[in-house]
């Protein structure tokens, strides 16, 4: 059974329509699959600020998300979190590491998110995976072993960040090599937690924040989900859909997302 968790509080949002993007995605999933999402956090305006400010502001939302994912695991369910930003994963990845210490985290993202306060430009979202791996203390836990993190579709990595990734032993699969076969080879026989920042896609497919050219296709993402045996998928989190103001474009974006996530929900329905 899937527990749908929806982040609606500002977690370092710098674009105004990220919270709306998460809400629209969640409502569409509710409608299509007859489930009820747990909406966590109170929306606040986007702003460009330093991570020390945005992290403190996000405290209540992050605690709520962490509690919701913990409860899903304790109930034996599969959490699917729809988030406004990758920064929400500061709450979830430590729970995954604690509850499923043998799980591989597929971090499907155009960026490495492996900066630290010493190397960062100040954006909280660029320090998510490094926090989960214990390179700095976010206040929301750590515990993920770097060798169990696999960056997929990643192509925009800062020089200092690259040095940290190489030193920690985090594997990187670039977009052109991000086939379902290669990804599953990296996973081996382990359980899997999937994190997706929609900027991993080529910008033609979906409006996201911090877009980077030469990305993956929706077909590649769907193929990865289709390749993961349902019994080994411990959870999913997706983030960074910058919902267009234009209703038609926004609806098209949501439809693209649902197409990629289809195997997750269809497999769950088939195993009830």
């Amino acid at each position: 059974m899937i527990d749908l968790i929806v982040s609606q509080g500002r977690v370092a949002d710098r674009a105004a329509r990220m919270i709306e993007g998460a809400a629209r995605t969640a409502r569409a999933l509710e409608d299509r699959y007859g489930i009820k999402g747990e909406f966590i956090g109170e929306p606040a305006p986007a702003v460009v600020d330093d991570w020390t400010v945005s992290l403190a502001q996000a405290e209540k939302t992050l605690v709520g998300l962490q509690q919701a994912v913990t409860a899903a695991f304790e109930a034996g369910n599969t959490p699917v979190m729809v988030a406004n930003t990758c920064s929400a994963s500061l709450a979830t990845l430590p729970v995954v590491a604690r509850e499923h210490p043998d799980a591989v985290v597929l971090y499907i993202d155009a960026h490495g998110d492996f900066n630290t306060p010493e190397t960062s430009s100040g954006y909280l979202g660029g320090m998510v995976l490094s926090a989960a791996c214990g390179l700095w203390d976010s206040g929301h836990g750590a515990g993920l072993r770097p060798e169990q993190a696999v960056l997929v579709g990643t192509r925009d990595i800062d020089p200092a960040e690259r040095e940290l990734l190489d030193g920690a032993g985090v594997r990187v699969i670039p977009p052109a090599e991000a086939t379902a076969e290669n990804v599953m080879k990296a996973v081996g026989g382990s359980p899997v937690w999937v994190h997706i920042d929609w900027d991993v896609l080529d910008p033609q497919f979906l409006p996201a924040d911090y877009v980077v050219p030469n990305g993956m296709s929706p077909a590649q993402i769907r193929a990865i989900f289709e390749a993961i045996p349902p019994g080994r998928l411990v959870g999913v989190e997706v983030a960074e859909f910058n919902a267009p103001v234009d209703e038609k474009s926004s609806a098209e974006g949501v439809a693209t997302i649902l197409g990629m996530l289809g195997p997750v929900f269809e497999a769950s329905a088939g195993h009830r």
Side-chain angles (χ1 to χ4, degrees):
M1 180 177 173
I2 285 177
D3 281 2
L4 180 62
I5 301 163
V6 191
S7 174
Q8 288 290 278
R10 179 177 182 261
V11 191
D13 300 53
R14 290 186 171 184
R17 300 277 291 177
M18 311 298 279
I19 290 174
E20 178 66 16
R24 284 176 179 252
T25 302
R27 288 194 294 266
L29 290 168
E30 287 180 324
D31 291 344
R32 177 167 295 188
Y33 296 106
I35 58 178
K36 182 66 176 175
E38 181 181 359
F39 288 69
I40 295 171
E42 294 296 326
V47 64
V48 176
D49 57 9
D50 185 73
W51 71 270
T52 55
V53 177
S54 55
L55 180 59
Q57 183 190 30
E59 172 76 15
K60 187 174 180 180
T61 298
L62 291 172
V63 170
L65 294 172
Q66 196 159 71
Q67 291 172 342
V69 173
T70 298
F73 282 145
E74 290 178 347
N77 296 335
T78 302
V80 173
M81 181 176 77
V82 181
N84 40 327
T85 72
C86 287
S87 303
S89 299
L90 291 168
T92 58
L93 294 179
V95 179
V96 176
R98 183 186 71 225
E99 300 295 329
H100 294 277
D102 55 343
V104 166
V105 171
L106 294 179
Y107 203 88
I108 306 177
D109 195 313
H111 305 87
D113 291 356
F114 213 70
N115 278 299
T116 67
E118 287 73 33
T119 67
S120 173
S121 63
Y123 178 50
L124 183 62
M127 305 193 295
V128 175
L129 186 57
S130 59
C133 291
L135 273 69
W136 68 283
D137 184 8
S138 73
H140 297 278
L144 178 65
R145 288 176 285 138
E147 62 270 22
Q148 288 190 252
V150 182
L151 285 168
V152 179
T154 307
R155 54 200 184 276
D156 188 2
I157 300 175
D158 300 330
E161 184 182 32
R162 171 67 73 176
E163 187 174 340
L164 290 171
L165 287 166
D166 290 345
V170 176
R171 291 166 286 175
V172 181
I173 303 176
E177 299 173 21
T179 63
E181 180 181 9
N182 286 341
V183 170
M184 292 311 295
K185 282 181 181 178
V187 169
S190 301
V192 185
W193 176 272
V194 179
H195 166 103
I196 303 179
D197 179 338
W198 296 123
D199 69 13
V200 78
L201 297 173
D202 195 85
Q204 66 178 299
F205 295 113
L206 198 70
D209 205 5
Y210 296 102
V211 295
V212 183
N214 303 315
M216 294 176 67
S217 71
Q220 282 178 283
I221 301 295
R222 184 178 174 95
I224 291 169
F225 278 124
E226 289 175 337
I228 300 171
R232 284 170 47 200
L233 183 66
V234 300
V236 178
E237 56 191 19
V238 300
E240 308 273 350
F241 172 44
N242 193 10
V245 175
D246 172 71
E247 287 295 328
K248 181 175 182 294
S249 298
S250 190
E252 289 172 349
V254 169
T256 297
I257 292 172
L258 264 60
M260 289 182 281
L261 295 180
V264 176
F265 289 83
E266 291 154 14
S268 176
H271 284 75
R272 287 177 182 170

